[in-house]
Amino acid sequence: MSVASFNDSIKEGAKTDPFRLIGGWVERPEDIQPALEGDVRADVVVVGAGFAGLSAALELRALGAEVVVLEQEFTGFGASGRNAGYLAGSMGVEFELFVRRVGVEQATKIVSFYDEGVAYVEKRLVELSIDCDYRPSGIIRAVVHPSQEKKLRHDMELGAKLGSDTRFVDSYEMRARGIPPAFLFGCTQHGGTLDPGKYVMGLRRAALGAGIKLYEQTPLLSYSEGPTITCRTARGSASAPFMVLATNAYTPQLGLLRDKVAPIRVSAIETEPLSKAQLASLGWSHREGLVTPHLTMESHRLTARDTLLLTTKKLGYAYGSSTPNVPDSAAYSALAQTLDKRYPTLRGISLRACWSGYISLAYDALPVVGQTGPQQNIFYTAGCSGHGVGTQSLVGSLLAERIGGIEHPLLSALRHKTPRTLPEPLQWCLMNAALMGANALDHLVNRKVKSSANG
Ligand SMILES: Cc1cc2nc3c(=O)[nH]c(=O)nc-3n(C[C@H](O)[C@H](O)[C@H](O)COP(=O)(O)OP(=O)(O)OC[C@H]3O[C@@H](n4cnc5c(N)ncnc54)[C@H](O)[C@@H]3O)c2cc1C
């Protein structure tokens, strides 16, 4: 479907044809693992088979633990199978909020946690022989209008004070690199892009190979606390002295972190593969992942299958922290319009897919990682906003180490008091007002881009 007809169909309230319920990267595995039947015991039960859950499970297994993983649908069903595949460090995180909340010293350690996430994933891809089309091209945070320079420079300066290593890329270098002309100048950082579906399925393959018992199609329904935690599912139970809730944006639905994180819907569109001529019209030979300093950032990248992927632009919050798996036509339409604006040489290109998924966000934008229960034997991880490819993988490893008896300094650095979220309907009002405000301010920047193009 072309971008124009896609927009028309949305205006008419019609179908969103290329919508994919499970995102654009993964399919339901052919060897989907059977649901849990009966009662099983283990050393650790991990709930959620995304980057965090599978990384934790693999590291725990390497320490010699018997591990059971419960996944409500199948591996990669959550954000890990739906994201844009940026393996990015600390660039673009909310430095100012971090400092205000925990001070410079702790913020510096948290920034290094974000950066370490990149190195951790790069190491694991090699160790586990996962081929996920990783391209260490670096990530560029690029402005689309000169009015964004102030924010870009400010973030760079504050980030540098906190140890975030970025370099300014001027317009000459941008053009020399062949970055599409809509992106004027910016800053770059180590990292790159990958196929998140292949990454998460690579973790799954490694987990099954390591003897981890993975039960897919097995939602955790409830759990009991105590020295032994019993996780109840539809037709059985899994018990262990430790549990890791790696359920991220879905965690509030289990009754935990309800007052700490809010699930935020993030959307993506992906074009059909570009022809050789279309690719040549873009230049962009190193295929750097691009993000913008809009309040709701845009992200733009080419994939290994020569498609162009755009994400974010319009975020959503559903009443009561629910996570409905439904299309977000307004977000796809906004992304499709952005595609048209930023890439005039691609006008008329068809969309292969569009989809949405959920990240979780704390009011202070900091990761929410900790432990709870009378025995402090229930570990959880959420937050990390839109930076989970690196951070959630690393957190899985840090939690495994912690359960093994060692607390890594990066894990200690994450400990802080997360602000309480508001009860409904206040949270719905606050979230939607904040998202609308951000959209309105971003719209002003985009109007300036349009008028400079016309002028
Ligand atoms: C559109 C989009 C684009 C993004 N782009 C990027 C990006 O480019 N770079 C980046 O770093 N981050 C990005 N992110 C964020 C990143 O994908 C997440 O932070 C990360 O995948 C979270 O991993 P996770 O393992 O913690 O959670 P998830 O991947 O969400 O995994 C949680 C799992 O728990 C399962 N589950 C939930 N409830 C239950 C239950 N009751 N019982 C059993 N299982 C349950 C779910 O089915 C799911 O599989 C993006 C996210 C989205 C949605």
Side-chain angles (χ1 to χ4, degrees):
M1 179 183 272
S2 75
V3 169
S5 55
F6 178 78
N7 282 332
D8 287 346
S9 76
I10 284 170
K11 271 184 226 139
E12 288 156 15
K15 60 190 174 14
T16 46
D17 226 0
F19 173 67
R20 282 179 56 90
L21 203 61
I22 55 172
W25 306 100
V26 293
E27 299 293 344
R28 186 185 154 91
E30 280 172 12
D31 64 339
I32 191 155
Q33 297 296 294
L36 173 63
E37 302 261 0
D39 303 320
V40 294
R41 296 187 73 81
D43 297 319
V44 186
V45 178
V46 175
V47 187
F51 300 143
L54 290 178
S55 295
L58 278 160
E59 299 279 10
L60 284 160
R61 187 75 191 117
L63 295 174
E66 291 295 328
V67 186
V68 160
V69 179
L70 306 177
E71 164 55 48
Q72 63 177 351
E73 297 282 348
F74 53 82
T75 298
F77 178 81
S80 298
R82 302 178 190 224
N83 62 76
Y86 286 64
L87 178 57
S90 55
M91 188 168 64
V93 301
E94 301 290 342
F95 296 125
E96 212 155 289
L97 265 180
F98 287 13
V99 171
R100 220 179 301 149
R101 191 72 195 155
V102 296
V104 170
E105 196 183 329
Q106 195 174 352
T108 303
K109 292 181 188 156
I110 294 174
V111 164
S112 75
F113 159 75
Y114 276 82
D115 290 331
E116 282 297 317
V118 176
Y120 176 75
V121 173
E122 287 179 338
K123 174 175 78 97
R124 291 303 271 166
L125 296 183
V126 175
E127 284 172 356
L128 301 173
S129 305
I130 297 176
D131 179 0
C132 57
D133 305 324
Y134 177 52
R135 205 180 168 98
S137 55
I139 308 285
I140 298 184
R141 190 170 192 228
V143 307
V144 295
H145 189 269
S147 60
Q148 292 179 307
E149 178 168 0
K150 197 169 159 206
K151 177 169 164 53
L152 181 91
R153 296 258 188 204
H154 174 74
D155 290 352
M156 273 186 79
E157 271 165 37
L158 185 51
K161 278 190 199 140
L162 302 176
S164 177
D165 185 18
T166 51
R167 181 176 68 77
F168 190 73
V169 183
D170 64 20
S171 55
Y172 295 103
E173 186 178 342
M174 292 289 273
R175 302 294 72 85
R177 283 173 177 239
I179 305 289
F183 303 94
L184 307 179
F185 53 84
C187 60
T188 185
Q189 194 173 57
H190 180 63
T193 56
L194 49 72
D195 178 329
K198 289 186 182 172
Y199 172 37
V200 77
M201 287 304 173
L203 292 175
R204 178 182 187 271
R205 213 167 27 249
L208 292 174
I212 290 165
K213 295 203 178 65
L214 169 63
Y215 297 99
E216 294 178 308
Q217 315 161 89
T218 306
L220 168 70
L221 300 178
S222 63
Y223 57 88
S224 68
E225 298 179 342
T228 298
I229 298 155
T230 299
C231 298
R232 279 182 284 275
T233 67
R235 292 198 295 275
S237 72
S239 305
F242 296 100
M243 172 167 75
V244 177
L245 277 178
T247 41
N248 212 312
Y250 305 90
T251 313
Q253 288 158 31
L254 288 165
L256 192 72
L257 307 185
R258 254 181 192 289
D259 60 348
K260 301 263 188 306
V261 294
I264 302 290
R265 187 172 54 245
V266 186
S267 297
I269 60 168
E270 184 181 7
T271 66
E272 288 290 356
L274 273 56
S275 67
K276 283 208 164 59
Q278 285 170 323
L279 280 170
S281 76
L282 295 181
W284 208 353
S285 51
H286 301 294
R287 301 189 170 207
E288 297 89 341
L290 303 176
V291 295
T292 67
H294 287 88
L295 289 172
T296 305
M297 75 168 190
E298 294 171 15
S299 77
H300 302 247
R301 63 162 289 200
L302 289 165
T303 68
R305 51 189 178 226
D306 288 343
T307 60
L308 179 58
L309 179 73
L310 269 68
T311 51
T312 317
K313 196 72 197 158
K314 232 183 173 62
L315 302 172
Y317 171 76
Y319 190 89
S321 288
S322 61
T323 53
N325 197 17
V326 292
D328 187 339
S329 305
Y332 309 142
S333 177
L335 284 164
Q337 284 164 25
T338 305
L339 172 64
D340 257 5
K341 277 187 219 137
R342 307 271 183 261
Y343 306 94
T345 62
L346 300 185
R347 290 225 168 102
I349 192 159
S350 298
L351 295 184
R352 168 188 178 264
C354 54
W355 67 87
S356 303
Y358 290 89
I359 59 170
S360 63
L361 182 71
Y363 283 4
D364 60 6
L366 282 162
V368 182
V369 182
Q371 57 202 94
T372 185
Q375 267 71 33
Q376 294 289 292
N377 53 355
I378 297 171
F379 293 80
Y380 54 79
T381 171
C384 287
S385 321
H387 282 71
V389 176
T391 57
Q392 291 303 93
S393 305
L394 177 59
V395 153
S397 153
L398 299 178
L399 290 181
E401 211 175 275
R402 174 67 190 77
I403 291 170
I406 299 167
E407 174 144 324
H408 194 286
L410 287 178
L411 183 61
S412 314
L414 299 182
R415 293 187 190 276
H416 73 287
K417 198 166 162 33
T418 303
R420 287 176 80 87
T421 57
L422 292 170
E424 297 293 14
L426 294 178
Q427 168 138 298
W428 187 88
C429 296
L430 175 81
M431 283 291 173
N432 284 294
L435 296 176
M436 273 170 63
N439 280 341
L441 291 171
D442 288 340
H443 187 62
L444 286 180
V445 173
N446 293 333
R447 274 185 45 191
K448 285 185 202 163
V449 176
K450 200 171 164 193
S451 39
S452 24
N454 293 339

